[in-house]
């Protein structure tokens, strides 16, 4: 018998600290598989965020740094410029990247830093207890929007992939989802392309992955996957927003 | 015939693998709890497994290894 599927070499044996059914684990695995595919385990440096994924340095079997809240792209910039032959990635949530870290991500894209950013969007602040994030959908109930997010008070959620795709320094920007096996396979392709864009020196690459937060959404893991399909994807359309190898989008 | 290996002590019982299995191979082990206190996923109809690995691709905790 041949092994069809086994855990990636670029993941450690640590048990993930995420809640049951949280798709962070799937996204970790896809990043690790992309590193395996590039044969880059010994030459990759990751930057962990603040948020649920703060312990990512325990889970990836590559060199890791941990940055202050939202500052992973700035730390990754320093690493990449000092060690330009390494593959450098940041792994950030929506509270980290789209709120406190908005300036860092925008300027990293504007400078065309040759780093890869994995942006995990679950429309809520997970670790701190389910507060409203910049990506929380209109009407979504969180601990700081107990009657649902109101557009007249808070505006509409920020679509980061579309914004990043507008920047000249961006080589690749895509939004993917991991709510069923087909979308997991597509997400894997996008993440691998984002790493290849960095290796080819094309510029900044970001993959936004729609993720779940069953605990703070108040749903079962299965209900949460369905909510991604029925509520999140209509507002956050999936697709490749920019790919420098295929001309401007 | 395909073979699933499930590391029950890593499983958090989220059920994503049970949901996506097209052949209804997976279910919850109703008789035991694992070291973390969850009811782990287990192969309740292993003879139906075709080795598509949907379960393993959806598992957030890398619990499942698939051989075919």
């Amino acid at each position: 018998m041949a092994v069809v599927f086994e855990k990636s070499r670029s993941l450690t044996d640590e048990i993930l600290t995420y809640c049951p059914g949280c798709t962070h684990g799937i996204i970790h695995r896809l990043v690790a598989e992309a590193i395996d595919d590039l044969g880059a385990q010994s030459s990759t440096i990751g930057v962990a965020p603040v948020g649920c994924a703060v312990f990512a340095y325990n889970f990836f079997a590559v060199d890791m740094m941990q940055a202050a809240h939202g500052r992973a792209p700035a730390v990754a910039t320093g690493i990449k410029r000092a060690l330009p032959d390494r593959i450098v990635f940041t792994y950030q949530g929506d509270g980290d990247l789209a709120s406190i870290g908005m300036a860092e991500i925008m300027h990293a894209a504007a400078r065309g830093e040759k780093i890869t950013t994995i942006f995990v969007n679950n429309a809520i602040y997970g670790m701190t207890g389910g507060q409203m994030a910049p990506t929380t959908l209109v009407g979504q109930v969180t601990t700081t929007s107990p009657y649902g997010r109101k557009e007249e008070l808070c505006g509409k959620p920020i679509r980061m992939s579309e914004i990043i795709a507008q920047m000249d320094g961006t080589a690749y920007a895509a939004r993917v989802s991991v709510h069923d096996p087909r979308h997991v396979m597509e997400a894997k392709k996008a993440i691998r392309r984002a790493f290849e864009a960095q290796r080819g020196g094309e510029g900044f690459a970001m993959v936004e992955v729609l993720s779940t937060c069953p605990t703070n959404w108040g749903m079962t893991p299965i209900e949460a996957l369905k909510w991604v399909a029925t509520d999140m994807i209509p507002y956050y359309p999936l697709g490749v927003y920019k790919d420098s190898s295929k001309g401007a989008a | 015939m395909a073979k699933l290996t499930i590391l029950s002590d890593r499983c958090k019982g989220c059920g994503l693998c049970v949901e996506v299995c097209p052949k209804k191979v997976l279910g919850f082990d109703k008789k035991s709890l694992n070291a973390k206190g969850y009811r782990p996923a287990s192969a309740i109809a292993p003879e139906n497994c075709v080795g598509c690995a949907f379960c393993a691709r959806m598992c957030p905790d890398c619990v499942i290894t698939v051989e075919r």
Side-chain angles (χ1 to χ4, degrees):
Chain A
M1 271 205 238
V3 174
V4 183
F5 186 95
E6 63 183 344
K7 188 167 79 66
S8 159
R9 289 189 309 279
S10 298
L11 289 174
T12 65
D13 287 330
E14 289 280 321
I15 290 182
L16 303 183
T17 45
Y18 305 114
C19 302
C22 171
T23 49
H24 259 308
I26 301 176
I27 302 161
H28 276 28
R29 203 194 72 236
L30 295 179
V31 172
E33 287 175 355
I35 294 167
D36 287 347
D37 289 349
L38 263 61
Q41 188 185 0
S42 60
S43 59
T44 297
I45 304 173
V47 184
V50 169
C52 292
V54 68
F55 295 120
Y57 48 76
N58 287 332
F59 308 140
F60 286 107
V62 301
D63 288 331
M64 294 290 289
M65 278 282 279
Q66 205 279 321
H69 204 359
R71 273 63 184 189
V75 173
T77 297
I79 296 171
K80 184 73 183 183
R81 289 190 177 199
L83 299 166
D85 57 328
R86 308 299 163 94
I87 302 285
V88 181
F89 75 93
T90 72
Y91 187 101
Q92 301 176 261
D94 49 328
D96 190 82
L97 181 143
S99 183
I100 193 168
M102 183 61 113
E104 281 72 17
I105 194 70
M106 295 300 288
H107 286 282
R111 295 190 304 268
E113 292 299 339
K114 290 160 190 69
I115 60 173
T116 300
T117 290
I118 309 300
F119 168 40
V120 180
N121 178 0
N122 61 5
I124 205 161
Y125 278 86
M127 183 183 73
T128 48
Q131 291 84 1
M132 181 168 60
T135 45
T136 294
L137 297 180
V138 171
Q140 187 182 340
V141 173
T142 68
T143 54
T144 47
S145 59
Y147 306 108
R149 177 174 177 149
K150 288 193 169 62
E151 188 184 336
E152 59 273 25
L153 279 178
C154 311
K156 285 189 168 181
I158 300 174
R159 294 186 179 104
M160 284 307 299
S161 290
E162 286 87 333
I163 295 171
I164 294 295
Q166 298 290 314
M167 311 295 282
D168 287 340
T170 303
Y172 185 76
R175 183 183 290 119
V176 295
S177 172
V178 289
H179 69 281
D180 64 29
R182 179 172 76 87
H183 285 91
V184 170
M185 307 280 263
E186 287 172 6
K188 182 179 175 178
K189 278 186 206 150
I191 290 171
R192 186 156 77 182
R193 170 74 187 100
F195 277 95
E196 282 167 355
Q198 175 181 170
R199 185 144 81 172
E202 295 169 41
F204 179 75
M206 187 182 89
V207 179
E208 174 176 352
V209 189
L210 300 184
S211 180
T212 63
C213 185
T215 302
N216 288 306
W217 292 357
M219 299 179 192
T220 67
I222 309 293
E223 287 167 355
L225 291 184
K226 289 185 176 142
W227 195 80
V228 170
T230 58
D231 289 68
M232 280 184 85
I233 290 177
Y235 187 81
Y236 294 115
L238 305 182
V240 177
Y241 288 92
K242 187 171 187 185
D243 189 340
S244 60
S245 70
K246 292 180 181 147
Chain B
M1 180 64 190
K3 183 176 159 218
L4 295 178
T5 308
I6 299 175
L7 300 171
S8 300
D9 275 343
R10 290 183 69 93
C11 180
K12 295 173 184 164
C14 69
L16 299 193
C17 56
V18 177
E19 172 74 11
V20 299
C21 178
K23 296 287 183 185
K24 310 285 176 222
V25 171
L26 291 157
F28 290 108
D29 185 347
K30 294 203 173 71
K31 291 188 199 125
S32 63
L33 298 172
N34 68 10
K36 288 176 101 57
Y38 295 112
R39 291 223 180 272
S42 68
I44 53 171
E47 65 280 4
N48 294 339
C49 181
V50 293
C52 67
F54 278 14
C55 53
R57 286 184 215 288
M58 282 308 283
C59 176
D61 294 281
C62 287
V63 168
I64 304 170
T65 303
V66 185
E67 291 168 272
R68 184 167 60 195

